[in-house]
Amino acid sequence: IHKPGVGHHPHSLQNPQPIVDFILRAIDYWVDQDMVPVPSVAQIRWQNYERIMFLHFAPNTWTGLEQDDISLPLSRINPDNLNTDQWCQVAKSWGAKIIIFVSKHSGGFCWWQTNTTDYSVKNIPWKNGKGDVLAELSKSCDKYGLDLGVYIYPGDKNLGAGGGGRTKDPAKQESYNKVFRQQLTEVLSKYKPMKEVWFDGSCAINIQDILEKYASDAVIFQGPQANIRWVGNEIGIAPYPNWYTLRSSDLKTGNATALHSDPNGDAYAPVEVDEPFLTSPKMYKWFWAPNTDSLLFSVAGLMNIYYKSVGRGSVLNLNATPDTTGLIPDTHAKLYSSFGKELSRRFDKPIASVSGKGNVLYIDLHKSKTVNCAVIQEDILKGQRVRKFVLEGFSNGHWKAIKEGSSLGSKRLEEFVPIKISKARLRITDAIATPFIQNLALYNVEQSDKKGFNERVENKVVTISGWDKQTFSTDWQNLSIDLTPYLIEKVGQFELKFQYITHDWDFDKLGSGGSGLEFDDWKIEIDDDANPDALKKSGEGIFLINNTQHLSKETTSKIIFKTQIRTRPGKSAGSIDLKMIGLE
């Protein structure tokens, strides 16, 4: 560029604007490539699924228990009408694009042909022990154009391995590791390529080499190789805002959830919302059981879940429960179909839609029309960029704010009071790089059914017990709290907080906040087995409990919090409170 007072160089430019434009484009490209975490091909595919059908089928289906107690005689497992084509038809009816099959639940029963255990399909009457449900489902998914994923529990009650695949007897750990590694290799190598691999409750066994060899094109749910995250509850609610990024150090723990989201994180791992189909305010079931149709959602209930999961930028993993015949019951199949039709009725035909790049996007409706819903989608190929936005409508000669929000991601559903507008605009008021909006669509949705839905939101604070000034001394002592009544049949993330009420210790000496108590060697035990993945100290007197096991009242399971505890100099009194978190 020509400088005043310097002789004209043949390559200098009198007009610097083209250079400025080039530099700005180069900066934008650099930001795209190096500053915004972006999804892998597998993650993009997975987020574009939007809807997944989970499929729980195990000896639990015959016993009615959520956890297999290994009591069922294998001679009773004979699903003589099993038809994986029907499973795929049900999945297609509500727009699911992949089925995740529970090939092995916590009891250890395997639905594929394997020599790793006798507790498997080879020892049941169905097809004289020659059947292979995973093989049949793999063929059916090809037939119906569906992808396939697999849930394979790292533990195995029948072989003495608990959460994460840890054996109760440490001397048996190495031999069990070999068993699980072979099982994982079999389900990943003998069938169509798996696009999602589910490790419920993380995986403590080293299986990185197997995943790299056989599942490099899959998303991984939990475990050190995870590239998607659990939402942290089983009630169909994703957080809002919903950020796809987090710190890589949190992701590598194998237990990261939506609570670990950080809009400035360096790792990209979006959230999956898993939800049972049989549910009520007081209970829910992942496996079929007799006389449970009363637990079925209404279509309105399913729509509510859709808005709070997919509509908040997550992927919905909705469960299906074949009965003892091997078929998804007709009442369930009809409800899935009705759900799919309602989704199509609402969202297949927008009033208008547009896409574009930049901080402002316009839609011209050409004449005044009533709208009450908007769908906004980022181009997630370029990562999640939008931090804040305002949706506005042009009405009676003025622009009016309709909705304000933060995260967008793969899909944001915004409902609002019906308004007549002739134009709309989306203004991005904060973004970390140039926004790319894949879709801005307006709708006038008639909500025909608003009844029949009961949310299982249980985040009220419950006081378990407390302490007074005489309870704890300055010497270490053992404390044990039975959490069973509060966590049984409840899966999610909870905060256990020692909240002081009164004290006679000096804040200046102790620092701000706190309970006046000190803790050491804290743990959660489930049936006397320590679960190191289930507990984390997150602050002064605050513990986060990650309860991933659905333990039913029919079992004798116990969930115990244990710690060593003492009071700091001086005395305090307070309460011990528990609440479910992550539902805001």
Side-chain angles (χ1 to χ4, degrees):
I1 299 176
H2 179 69
K3 296 180 181 180
V6 180
H8 180 72
H9 189 278
H11 296 296
S12 66
L13 295 176
Q14 299 298 323
N15 178 15
Q17 191 58 46
I19 290 292
V20 172
D21 289 343
F22 174 80
I23 292 172
L24 291 176
R25 287 196 301 272
I27 291 173
D28 190 45
Y29 175 82
W30 175 72
V31 168
D32 290 357
Q33 299 299 311
D34 296 321
M35 292 187 65
V36 181
V38 295
S40 66
V41 172
Q43 288 171 320
I44 293 168
R45 181 200 306 112
W46 178 81
Q47 287 191 271
N48 286 334
Y49 288 147
E50 183 180 289
R51 298 165 232 172
I52 295 171
M53 190 168 87
F54 224 174
L55 208 147
H56 276 65
F57 193 50
N60 315 44
T61 305
W62 280 260
T63 64
L65 301 175
E66 289 300 291
Q67 295 293 329
D68 184 6
D69 63 1
I70 323 293
S71 66
L72 183 74
L74 293 186
S75 59
R76 285 187 53 195
I77 302 178
N78 189 18
D80 49 5
N81 290 329
L82 191 148
N83 185 343
T84 54
D85 277 5
Q86 188 243 11
W87 299 355
C88 291
Q89 290 163 4
V90 171
K92 297 280 286 187
S93 74
W94 64 279
K97 298 179 178 66
I98 177 175
I99 291 176
I100 299 176
F101 178 58
V102 177
S103 64
K104 173 196 168 188
H105 203 250
S106 60
F109 184 87
C110 298
W111 278 115
W112 74 97
Q113 290 292 321
T114 180
N115 293 320
T116 59
T117 178
D118 290 331
Y119 196 50
S120 72
V121 70
K122 71 180 181 180
N123 286 313
I124 66 174
W126 181 64
K127 296 195 174 183
N128 296 315
K130 303 297 183 184
D132 188 322
V133 178
L134 202 50
E136 294 192 15
L137 182 56
S138 182
K139 292 178 182 177
S140 292
C141 284
D142 278 339
K143 179 179 177 180
Y144 286 89
L146 294 168
D147 282 341
L148 180 61
V150 65
Y151 170 121
I152 178 168
Y153 192 69
D156 192 313
K157 186 178 294 183
N158 189 55
L159 296 179
R166 299 177 183 89
T167 58
K168 293 182 179 181
D169 182 353
K172 297 180 179 179
Q173 187 66 60
E174 186 175 349
S175 61
Y176 178 72
N177 290 353
K178 293 178 181 178
V179 168
F180 183 71
R181 283 176 55 84
Q182 182 177 334
Q183 290 178 343
L184 181 62
T185 299
E186 289 171 354
V187 299
L188 295 183
S189 65
K190 291 185 176 181
Y191 310 98
K192 69 175 294 174
M194 300 295 172
K195 300 304 182 184
E196 180 167 351
V197 184
W198 242 78
F199 298 122
D200 198 351
S202 193
C203 182
I205 300 168
N206 183 8
I207 39 82
Q208 181 174 350
D209 57 326
I210 299 172
L211 294 177
E212 289 176 350
K213 184 174 182 178
Y214 298 111
S216 60
D217 193 34
V219 293
I220 310 300
F221 183 94
Q222 298 196 320
Q225 289 77 42
N227 51 18
I228 61 174
R229 288 176 285 152
W230 182 40
V231 68
N233 65 71
E234 293 182 348
I235 55 180
I237 299 177
Y240 191 77
N242 181 12
W243 305 115
Y244 297 161
T245 53
L246 71 164
R247 293 181 299 179
S248 56
S249 57
D250 286 332
L251 182 59
K252 290 175 182 177
T253 65
N255 294 291
T257 68
L259 286 179
H260 295 91
S261 295
D262 180 350
N264 299 313
D266 62 315
Y268 188 98
V271 168
E272 180 176 286
V273 176
D274 55 320
E275 171 64 24
F277 201 60
L278 295 168
T279 187
S280 76
K282 294 184 178 180
M283 67 175 295
Y284 61 103
K285 296 189 71 64
W286 284 103
F287 293 91
W288 179 86
N291 304 314
T292 53
D293 272 13
S294 61
L295 301 179
L296 288 171
F297 277 106
S298 66
V299 172
L302 292 171
M303 289 305 309
N304 194 301
I305 286 171
Y306 181 84
Y307 275 74
K308 291 180 178 179
S309 56
V310 174
R312 293 180 176 180
S314 293
V315 174
L316 173 61
N317 187 2
L318 183 63
N319 190 49
T321 58
D323 60 23
T324 54
T325 71
L327 294 174
I328 296 171
D330 287 342
T331 50
H332 297 210
K334 289 177 181 177
L335 183 53
Y336 283 112
S337 178
S338 297
F339 179 37
K341 290 175 181 176
E342 180 65 9
L343 285 167
S344 295
R345 183 188 72 81
R346 293 193 187 202
F347 301 118
D348 277 3
K349 296 179 180 179
I351 294 171
S353 63
V354 69
S355 61
K357 170 186 176 182
N359 292 323
V360 183
L361 202 58
Y362 290 91
I363 292 183
D364 191 345
L365 303 181
H366 304 295
K367 63 179 182 180
S368 184
K369 295 182 180 179
T370 300
V371 297
N372 65 2
C373 181
V375 171
I376 314 171
Q377 297 174 270
E378 286 188 78
D379 182 356
I380 57 171
L381 280 166
K382 298 177 175 62
Q384 193 179 31
R385 299 178 169 211
V386 175
R387 293 293 181 263
K388 294 181 182 178
F389 68 90
V390 179
L391 180 64
E392 300 171 318
F394 194 76
S395 178
N396 297 323
H398 301 283
W399 285 104
K400 297 181 178 179
I402 299 173
K403 273 285 184 177
E404 296 184 21
S406 49
S407 65
L408 289 178
S410 59
K411 180 171 284 188
R412 175 64 181 155
L413 270 167
E414 290 283 9
E415 291 183 291
F416 41 85
V417 176
I419 182 174
K420 280 193 171 184
I421 61 174
S422 58
K423 292 182 286 187
R425 70 184 179 192
L426 177 68
R427 289 195 299 113
I428 308 302
T429 56
D430 188 13
I432 57 172
T434 303
F436 284 79
I437 304 303
Q438 180 176 297
N439 181 39
L440 168 62
L442 299 177
Y443 298 85
N444 184 21
V445 175
E446 178 186 350
Q447 298 188 16
S448 57
D449 179 9
K450 298 182 180 180
K451 298 179 180 180
F453 180 62
N454 293 310
E455 290 184 84
R456 289 179 288 107
V457 178
E458 302 176 28
N459 59 342
K460 295 180 180 179
V461 176
V462 176
T463 297
I464 296 174
S465 63
W467 77 94
D468 60 30
K469 294 184 178 182
Q470 307 305 316
T471 304
F472 303 120
S473 70
T474 55
D475 295 325
W476 288 108
Q477 62 190 89
N478 294 322
L479 176 67
S480 179
I481 302 175
D482 186 357
L483 298 177
T484 309
Y486 312 98
L487 298 184
I488 201 77
E489 293 188 334
K490 293 182 177 71
V491 172
Q493 296 178 292
F494 299 82
E495 178 187 85
L496 183 68
K497 185 174 183 179
F498 290 74
Q499 177 68 52
Y500 77 87
I501 299 173
T502 62
H503 60 85
D504 55 18
W505 29 265
D506 191 344
F507 269 116
D508 292 334
K509 293 180 180 178
L510 295 174
S512 62
S515 60
L517 302 173
E518 291 183 294
F519 303 85
D520 191 26
D521 191 26
W522 49 85
K523 57 188 173 183
I524 286 284
E525 288 186 356
I526 300 177
D527 294 336
D528 299 322
D529 290 328
N531 189 337
D533 299 324
L535 188 68
K536 179 182 179 181
K537 193 170 186 290
S538 67
E540 185 70 31
I542 300 174
F543 297 87
L544 294 183
I545 300 171
N546 201 30
N547 187 33
T548 63
Q549 295 192 37
H550 189 196
L551 303 173
S552 63
K553 293 178 180 178
E554 292 91 343
T555 68
T556 57
S557 295
K558 292 288 184 181
I559 308 172
I560 309 295
F561 169 81
K562 291 184 177 181
T563 187
Q564 288 188 311
I565 191 168
R566 68 180 179 184
T567 185
R568 289 165 172 163
K571 300 290 183 179
S572 69
S575 62
I576 303 174
D577 300 330
L578 181 74
K579 72 171 182 177
M580 194 172 186
I581 56 177
L583 304 181
E584 291 76 15

